[in-house]
Amino acid sequence: VLLGQTRCPDRLVFCDKSNDGTRERIRSHQNGADGPPVDIIDQSGDGVADAYNEILDHVAGDYDIFATVQTEISVDEEWLAGHLEVHAEHPQIEIVTGDNKENEPTDREVEPDDRPYYVGRDFSAKAGVLERIDGWDRNFLRGEDWDMRIRLAGAGTRVYAKPDLGYRKDWSDPYVTLSKAKRKPTSVSFLSKYGLWYACFHPSHVVSDGLSLVSILSAVGTILFL
């Protein structure tokens, strides 16, 4: 996906701690004559947030645009060129995101309460924007993108959404495993960080978690009663 871009990246950085052969596959393309320099970082911590932060620390002070694509998605060959074009045409914009939603086809600057304000799997940011909010929160093994959205909005970050830069998810990819699904962030994670403000900001998350808990307790109570 990345090596097939019409505008080839100036540098590729991967952070990995798996034992599934990912590193070996990357090294087979590393620093090839026809491609950009490739850096592979051995991740020391856990979770996507930690991996992102290690990459951000690795390139600190040495980049103009930080663009990211997660492993389970695909993008068009004009993806990177499109991101750079938006940044060039709108110098006041700090983050560019791909928006897949068909009923929101307009290229536009989005407000913090708009759905595509920040899409964690597909975005690009100007140098210094992510550092300004201290990157990703390593305490979130999952849901780090939603947490970042809150902090970006709090920092007044200007975001532009462009549907043509959207991504396609590869549902055959084993990225979403049962062990990762179990780490899906609950509203408790956000309430413990943001307090009751979060219940007002995203009440449906809190309510759905509460209903799920009630359903589980009811099921357990019924079994015990029987």
Side-chain angles (χ1 to χ4, degrees):
V1 172
L2 296 176
L3 295 178
Q5 294 290 303
T6 56
R7 172 35 169 107
C8 192
D10 294 324
R11 184 181 184 185
L12 294 175
V13 183
F14 297 87
C15 187
D16 180 67
K17 66 179 301 182
S18 66
N19 55 5
D20 60 2
T22 298
R23 215 167 309 178
E24 289 69 24
R25 291 176 62 186
I26 294 172
R27 287 201 176 102
S28 68
H29 300 284
Q30 190 173 18
N31 299 326
D34 298 327
V38 178
D39 299 345
I40 305 174
I41 305 171
D42 293 327
Q43 185 180 358
S44 57
D46 294 304
V48 176
D50 180 80
Y52 274 143
N53 280 326
E54 293 203 24
I55 292 174
L56 189 61
D57 291 342
H58 184 75
V59 300
D62 192 30
Y63 74 95
D64 297 315
I65 300 292
F66 184 103
T68 176
V69 178
Q70 286 190 4
T71 55
E72 81 282 13
I73 69 173
S74 297
V75 294
D76 293 335
E77 61 182 11
E78 296 288 341
W79 178 81
L80 183 55
H83 274 266
L84 296 179
E85 181 180 352
V86 174
H87 280 292
E89 292 178 352
H90 304 276
Q92 77 281 9
I93 293 297
E94 298 174 292
I95 283 185
V96 176
T97 174
D99 178 21
N100 293 28
K101 204 165 186 180
E102 294 181 0
N103 62 357
E104 296 180 356
T106 308
D107 297 358
R108 69 208 187 283
E109 182 172 357
V110 291
E111 298 298 326
D113 57 349
D114 286 347
R115 189 201 69 85
Y117 180 79
Y118 171 74
V119 179
R121 296 182 178 92
D122 163 19
F123 77 96
S124 61
K126 286 185 175 178
V129 174
L130 302 176
E131 291 88 343
R132 189 172 68 207
I133 61 168
D134 297 324
W136 290 260
D137 188 335
R138 286 182 166 91
N139 293 314
F140 285 85
L141 294 179
R142 297 285 301 282
E144 74 292 332
D145 51 347
W146 184 249
D147 171 72
M148 174 172 272
R149 172 184 177 143
I150 295 173
R151 292 183 292 114
L152 285 170
T157 307
R158 299 184 67 174
V159 176
Y160 192 95
K162 185 176 177 66
D164 289 348
L165 301 179
Y167 61 86
R168 300 176 302 279
K169 187 172 178 60
D170 181 4
W171 294 104
S172 65
D173 192 289
Y175 175 78
V176 182
T177 61
L178 178 60
S179 62
K180 290 178 179 178
K182 289 179 179 178
R183 295 202 301 255
K184 182 178 179 180
T186 65
S187 59
V188 174
S189 304
F190 290 92
L191 287 169
S192 63
K193 180 174 182 178
Y194 296 106
L196 292 178
W197 171 87
Y198 186 74
C200 299
F201 173 73
H202 194 27
S204 61
H205 189 188
V206 180
V207 171
S208 63
D209 277 1
L211 292 175
S212 297
L213 179 60
V214 170
S215 298
I216 293 172
L217 292 177
S218 298
V220 171
T222 300
I223 293 172
L224 293 177
F225 178 78
L226 295 176

